[in-house]
Structures are given as C-alpha cells and as structure tokens.
Amino acid sequence: SLNVPTLAVKTIYVEVPQKGLLPGLYRCISYRRTGGCVTIVIDGQRYSDTSDLLALEGRLGAQDIAYMVFLRPNEAGTLYGSETKHGVLVVVRKTSH
C-alpha cells in the first residue's frame, strides 16, 4: 500500500508549451518531498511526469488495480533513468487489457 502522506494530487500551470502539452492547467501525482510530478508506469507503459491525470482516466480505477508501488527518486533513477527525478508510481492492474 502507498503511504498516503507521501503522494498528493497537484495542479500545475504550463505557461509555455512543453513535452506536447499546450498552455493550461494540468493535474499530476506529486511526491511531497520534492514537490515535483512523478512519472507513472501502468502495466509497463510509461507516462510522462507531466501527463495530465485526465488522460489516464479509466486506467486507474481502484477496482482494477492489483497493486501500486512508489519508487523514490534514487530508486526510480536506477530503473527508469535520470528523467524520473521525482520518482515513479508503478501501477499493475489485475488484468492487462
């Protein structure tokens, strides 16, 4: 299980287009210690740290999740590379579609 105080949903404002995002408000899962958005991996598919949670809607239904693991930045960097500087949330669904 996740330590709830470790992660939070954060709203970020993208002023200048980046990583395929248009300017505007986006929600992400944030690691409270660094304040940055974490990279999300669902069934092996990687989503950018700035992926809007709305884009992941329907893939994160609680009833479909077998387990979740949060990798802190130092652990995440070893497995997923230096661009995961705020950590990685790994989600494995009960059945992969």
Side-chain angles (χ1 to χ4, degrees):
S1 66
L2 291 175
N3 179 358
V4 175
T6 301
L7 300 174
V9 175
K10 177 180 182 178
T11 300
I12 59 171
Y13 178 70
V14 174
E15 189 170 329
V16 179
Q18 61 183 15
K19 296 183 186 177
L21 297 177
L22 298 174
L25 293 174
Y26 294 87
R27 290 183 301 160
C28 68
I29 297 175
S30 171
Y31 180 38
R32 288 183 191 249
R33 184 166 289 174
T34 64
C37 298
V38 304
T39 299
I40 300 172
V41 175
I42 302 174
D43 293 333
Q45 183 171 346
R46 187 175 177 162
Y47 295 87
S48 163
D49 57 351
T50 52
S51 289
D52 189 11
L53 290 178
L54 290 176
L56 302 177
E57 190 174 354
R59 307 196 104 216
L60 292 175
Q63 68 279 5
D64 299 324
I65 295 174
Y67 64 90
M68 295 188 297
V69 177
F70 176 65
L71 302 175
R72 289 182 175 87
N74 58 340
E75 302 162 320
T78 301
L79 294 172
Y80 293 98
S82 61
E83 67 276 5
T84 60
K85 63 184 176 187
H86 298 293
V88 173
L89 179 61
V90 179
V91 179
V92 176
R93 293 185 300 170
K94 292 177 183 172
T95 56
S96 299
H97 299 143

